[in-house]
């Protein structure tokens, strides 16, 4: 299949620049997305369009759209074009609106199976995603806010432990280095590690925990920054680091823990196991994912008791663990309340953040 790239230059394919700009935004989220073939942009399952048929229908609707018309889109599928007026919105869309007692993951997956809904994330179905660069400033500002609040303004000589190098989490290693820290990012999918290295967001890669910890210890001692991608599962690596008596200065996680079926990989599962179990036994896959999350969050809580600054980075990890019986999961702070609010109060925020705040 042909790879989608956003058009560049001054050639107009639509009837006006408003339509052309929106078409380029749609193409751009796919160009920068994590898995174009599946139309997945980021956050496990956040999609740009309902399916490929809908994608082409969107393109075919935008091209002949007149200035006094409005295209209506429901969860990534165009459903109508109405005569409006030149000052009306050119596109109106609503994505994944599940409310009240229907707002459950079970109900969402049922509708998704029937091809009736997509999860749009904040920026995927809204055609605004620009790659991990979109969250670099936000992640850097959070690390810097932690530095100011807890480490006399500097993360030099400090160790950040995190996980997930996907669409959003992929910004963490570069943001950590920009904040002068030694940052270890645990990632279960080697292709994601390689992608971050290729674009220069991640400096080093290893599948060996001893080597990763040695690099971190060396950088800490010299007060130098370093970013290390470690191939492994956070539900196994975090407890092992704790068992060794190592206490990071800052601990978080940016895996797609909000999604137990498509997002978080349970301990002892390969990526292939997950794909197979999704078909064969989705209930067990979700139960195992939640159990692994609970183990990871219990470890994060113990790091906190031993002095680490620990926070939920907008992926609902606390809620998942709480639902598995980790009663004190909410002793972990959420980044918005702990670090972002003060930045907002000072008007020091220009990047939209789209995490799941549970
Ligand atoms: P993504 O799905 O693109 O990437 C998640 C990564 O986690 C993948 O590379 C996956 O292989 C890895 N992973 C899954 N389970 C793992 C495990 N057990 N151990 C190690 N690695 C594992 O998702 P994303 O776009 O990076 O978003 C991650 C989370 O951040 C989502 O829950 C999203 O909602 C949230 N989010 C936060 C913010 C924020 O500003 N804080 C903004 C947007 C999204």
């Amino acid at each position: 299949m042909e790879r989608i790239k956003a058009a560049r230059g001054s050639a107009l394919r639509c009837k006006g620049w408003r339509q052309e700009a929106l078409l380029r935004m749609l193409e751009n989220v796919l160009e920068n997305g994590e898995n174009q073939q599946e139309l997945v942009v980021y956050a496990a399952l956040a999609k740009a369009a309902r399916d490929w048929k809908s994608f082409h229908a969107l393109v075919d609707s935008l091209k002949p759209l007149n200035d006094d018309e409005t295209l209506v889109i429901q969860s990534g599928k165009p459903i109508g074009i109405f005569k409006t007026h030149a000052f009306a919105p050119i596109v109106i869309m609503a994505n994944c609106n599940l409310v009240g007692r229907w707002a459950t993951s079970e109900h969402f997956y049922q509708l998704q199976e029937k091809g009736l809904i997509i999860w749009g994330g904040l920026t995927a179905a809204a055609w605004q995603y620009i790659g991990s660069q979109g969250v670099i400033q936000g992640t850097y500002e959070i690390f810097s806010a932690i530095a100011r609040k807890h480490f006399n303004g500097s993360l030099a000589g400090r160790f950040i432990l995190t996980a997930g190098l996907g669409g959003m989490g992929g910004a963490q290693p570069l943001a950590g280095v920009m904040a002068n820290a030694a940052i270890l990012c645990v990632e279960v999918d080697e292709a994601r590690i390689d992608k971050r290295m290729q674009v220069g967001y991640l400096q080093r890669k290893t599948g060996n925990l001893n080597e990763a910890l040695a690099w971190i210890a060396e950088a800490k001692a010299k007060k130098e920054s370093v970013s290390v991608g470690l191939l492994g599962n956070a539900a196994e690596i975090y407890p092992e680091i704790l068992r060794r008596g190592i206490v990071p200065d800052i601990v978080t996680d940016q895996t797609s823990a909000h999604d137990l079926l498509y997002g978080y990989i349970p301990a002892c599962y390969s990526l292939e196991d997950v794909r197979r179990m999704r078909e064969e036994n989705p209930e067990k896959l979700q139960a195992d994912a939640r159990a692994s999350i609970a183990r990871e969050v219990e470890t994060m809580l113990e790091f906190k008791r031993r002095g680490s600054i620990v926070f939920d980075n907008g992926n609902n990890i606390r809620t998942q663990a709480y639902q598995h019986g980790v009663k004190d999961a909410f002793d972990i702070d959420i980044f918005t309340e702990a670090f972002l609010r003060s930045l907002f109060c000072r008007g020091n925020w220009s990047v939209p953040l789209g995490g799941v705040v549970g």
Side-chain angles (χ1 to χ4, degrees), residues 69-346:
E69 290 178 327
T70 296
L71 167 64
V72 179
I73 301 168
Q74 184 201 23
S75 261
K77 179 177 180 176
I79 56 165
I81 293 175
F82 296 90
K83 175 104 177 138
T84 49
H85 56 81
F87 295 105
I90 205 88
V91 167
I92 292 182
M93 56 167 68
N95 298 306
C96 198
N97 286 338
L98 293 178
V99 295
R101 63 192 167 93
W102 291 277
T104 64
S105 49
E106 292 75 24
H107 194 235
F108 165 78
Y109 291 135
Q110 279 166 17
L111 292 171
Q112 194 209 216
E113 282 291 304
K114 294 180 189 161
L116 294 173
I117 203 167
I118 55 165
W119 189 55
L122 181 77
T123 54
W127 310 343
Q128 293 164 8
Y129 182 78
I130 56 168
S132 301
Q133 61 173 320
V135 78
I136 268 282
Q137 187 216 343
T139 311
Y140 168 77
E141 293 285 2
I142 296 298
F143 289 156
S144 300
I146 296 173
R148 282 193 297 275
K149 194 167 172 182
H150 296 287
F151 299 105
N152 293 323
S154 171
L155 293 187
R158 301 293 176 182
F159 168 21
I160 303 174
L161 172 64
T162 187
L165 289 172
M168 288 288 144
Q172 297 179 106
L174 182 54
V177 164
M178 285 163 64
N180 297 318
I183 181 166
L184 177 60
C185 308
V186 184
E187 168 59 62
V188 81
D189 181 350
E190 192 166 8
R192 308 287 190 123
I193 299 181
D194 291 342
K195 184 169 179 175
R196 305 308 156 208
M197 293 210 49
Q198 275 157 21
V199 295
Y201 274 43
L202 177 67
Q203 294 169 333
R204 296 189 196 178
K205 155 187 166 177
T206 178
N208 182 318
L209 178 59
N210 293 336
E211 186 171 44
L213 290 173
W215 285 338
I216 294 290
E218 188 189 346
K220 257 185 77 135
K222 293 182 178 166
K223 290 195 182 327
E224 287 174 0
S225 61
V226 73
S227 60
V228 178
L230 172 66
L231 183 61
N233 192 306
E236 296 165 29
I237 299 289
Y238 282 34
E240 176 57 23
I241 292 175
L242 178 68
R243 195 192 62 76
R244 294 182 185 197
I246 298 170
V247 180
D249 297 290
I250 299 168
V251 181
T252 188
D253 172 286
Q254 217 171 355
T255 61
S256 276
H258 69 277
D259 189 316
L260 300 175
L261 199 52
Y262 292 86
Y264 192 90
I265 312 292
C268 304
Y269 274 62
S270 68
L271 299 179
E272 191 41 49
D273 292 339
V274 170
R275 274 190 282 273
R276 188 174 38 78
M277 286 294 279
R278 220 176 264 148
E279 303 298 321
E280 289 176 7
N281 197 343
E283 288 75 25
K284 176 162 169 45
L285 174 60
Q286 291 178 82
D288 288 348
R290 191 169 266 145
S292 288
I293 288 174
R295 183 157 179 237
E296 189 184 334
V297 168
E298 273 164 355
T299 309
M300 291 167 81
L301 283 161
E302 186 54 32
F303 279 134
K304 182 177 158 120
R305 282 189 282 272
R306 296 189 190 185
S308 305
I309 305 302
V310 182
F311 67 100
D312 175 322
N313 207 352
N315 63 356
N316 226 17
I317 199 164
R318 303 179 306 174
T319 309
Q320 303 283 25
Y322 183 80
Q323 286 172 353
H324 191 80
V326 183
K327 291 293 167 229
D328 50 356
F330 282 85
D331 286 356
I332 294 175
D333 288 329
I334 181 83
F335 78 113
T336 36
E337 192 181 352
F339 310 116
L340 189 59
R341 183 176 287 170
S342 59
L343 297 173
F344 266 128
C345 292
R346 297 208 318 264

